Amino acid sequence: MTTIALYNIKGGVGKTAGCVNLAYLAAEEGKKVLIWDLDPQGSASFYFSVEAKLKGGIKKLLTGESQLDASIQATEFENLWMLPADFGNRHLDVLVDSTKQSKKKFKSLVGSLQGEFDYLFIDCPPGIGPLSEAIFAAADYVVLPTIPTTLSIRTYEMAQQFFEENQLDPSRLIAFFSMVDIRKNLHNEVIGKYYKHKQFLRNYVPYLSTVEKMGSKLAPVAWFAPSSYAAQCFREVWKELKKKTSA
Ligand SMILES: Nc1ncnc2c1ncn2[C@@H]1O[C@H](COP(=O)(O)OP(=O)(O)O)[C@@H](O)[C@H]1O
Ligand SMILES: [Mg+2]
């Protein structure tokens, strides 16, 4: 199982859109895919019309009183399952603390899914804290959707610095540009600068209204608009990410 966490310290950068669409593309290829919605806002759960409730709540999961797989729900899409968000997740940063033991527990929770799925996609909440640290330790790859602006690049650099300081393998940190508006000079400049960066994907997701429509269609773009430019872009990003994460 390959675990890919869609993460950014910032909100509204396309983490959930990336998570939902990339996971769907993997499932479409016949892989068994699980999305774990760790954001208490529950946007990924909402897109898949999955009730945002965990059996017994997140606390029982972390204490081992309940099993993760008991909370896995089927979606209406083939090969795609969901571990829904729970509003109780807002306490996750308290339950998952900075101790090694806590990180280990989270990692073993993720490990308990090993063998059941080909891919685990984690939709992370924004911010940085013990939970993000636990996710960084447990996931194989941390993928940052990044809007090509100076401030967003800084959030990539902060994640990079965190990896360095904690001796985490920098090749596990990958970024791709999202919500790109190529008419904007700044977007063009930033993409030009990072085009050859080792950890940035060449392909990106432009700012497109098709992506926004997911909110009313309640489905990934490749499902409700398979031949759209948006679907095409997500396919290219997935193709490149798949290659990079299977190396
Ligand atoms: N490529 C895109 N083009 C247009 N709108 C987008 C795109 N990606 C995301 N959005 C919209 O922007 C908002 C924030 O995106 P979302 O994926 O939820 O961000 P995050 O999970 O990082 O908070 C959502 O309303 C979503 O529909
Ligand atoms: Mg989100």
Side-chain angles (χ1 to χ4, degrees):
M1 181 178 80
T2 305
T3 303
I4 298 175
L6 274 293
Y7 169 80
N8 197 305
I9 194 167
K10 275 167 83 82
V13 297
K15 292 183 294 296
T16 301
C19 184
V20 162
N21 286 294
L22 299 173
Y24 174 76
L25 290 173
E28 201 187 45
E29 289 173 354
K31 300 288 186 212
K32 286 183 81 179
V33 180
L34 176 68
I35 296 179
W36 190 357
D37 185 358
L38 270 179
D39 188 345
Q41 289 180 59
S43 313
S45 308
F46 170 75
Y47 283 139
F48 289 109
S49 316
V50 165
E51 196 196 352
K53 194 95 190 94
L54 277 178
K55 284 184 193 141
I58 191 83
K59 193 172 176 183
K60 284 198 173 162
L61 274 180
L62 289 166
T63 54
E65 286 169 73
S66 61
Q67 295 288 318
L68 204 52
D69 50 10
S71 289
I72 294 172
Q73 295 186 33
T75 68
E76 59 184 294
F77 306 100
E78 214 178 331
N79 300 325
L80 194 57
W81 286 266
M82 182 99 200
L83 248 171
D86 192 310
F87 190 55
N89 279 10
R90 71 190 187 282
H91 301 307
L92 256 182
D93 260 352
V94 180
L95 296 168
V96 180
D97 55 38
S98 291
T99 58
K100 259 197 182 140
Q101 197 188 12
S102 182
K103 269 188 236 172
K104 230 169 136 182
K105 219 182 266 174
F106 186 81
K107 199 174 170 143
S108 74
L109 213 50
V110 168
S112 71
L113 299 164
Q114 195 77 34
E116 291 189 58
F117 297 95
D118 298 305
Y119 284 101
L120 167 65
F121 282 83
I122 303 179
D123 190 21
C124 300
I128 187 144
L131 176 61
S132 1
E133 289 179 36
I135 293 171
F136 291 175
D140 297 309
Y141 295 93
V142 177
V143 176
L144 270 77
T146 306
I147 302 175
T149 62
T150 319
L151 274 181
S152 287
I153 288 291
R154 277 196 66 225
T155 65
Y156 168 77
E157 287 168 351
M158 283 160 83
Q160 199 180 28
Q161 195 182 339
F162 184 89
F163 265 62
E164 247 172 52
E165 283 169 6
N166 291 276
Q167 281 104 45
L168 299 172
D169 176 2
S171 70
R172 296 202 292 112
L173 185 67
I174 298 169
F176 71 88
F177 287 115
S178 87
M179 299 168 108
V180 175
D181 183 351
I182 49 156
R183 291 167 307 177
K184 289 187 177 158
N185 283 340
L186 180 61
H187 283 210
N188 260 322
E189 262 171 45
V190 174
I191 289 183
K193 194 169 158 200
Y194 282 84
Y195 186 70
K196 290 200 171 144
H197 191 290
K198 239 182 22 205
Q199 294 318 114
F200 273 74
L201 300 186
R202 300 277 194 277
N203 290 285
Y204 61 80
V205 181
Y207 193 94
L208 295 162
S209 61
T210 318
V211 183
E212 283 176 322
K213 283 195 191 128
M214 284 172 53
S216 55
K217 301 281 186 189
L218 299 184
V221 293
W223 186 82
F224 71 83
S227 49
S228 63
Y229 180 49
Q232 202 181 314
C233 293
F234 275 117
R235 283 186 201 285
E236 291 304 319
V237 167
W238 172 234
K239 209 158 94 186
E240 200 181 348
L241 183 63
K242 190 172 51 177
K243 214 166 149 191
K244 226 174 159 70
T245 55
S246 61

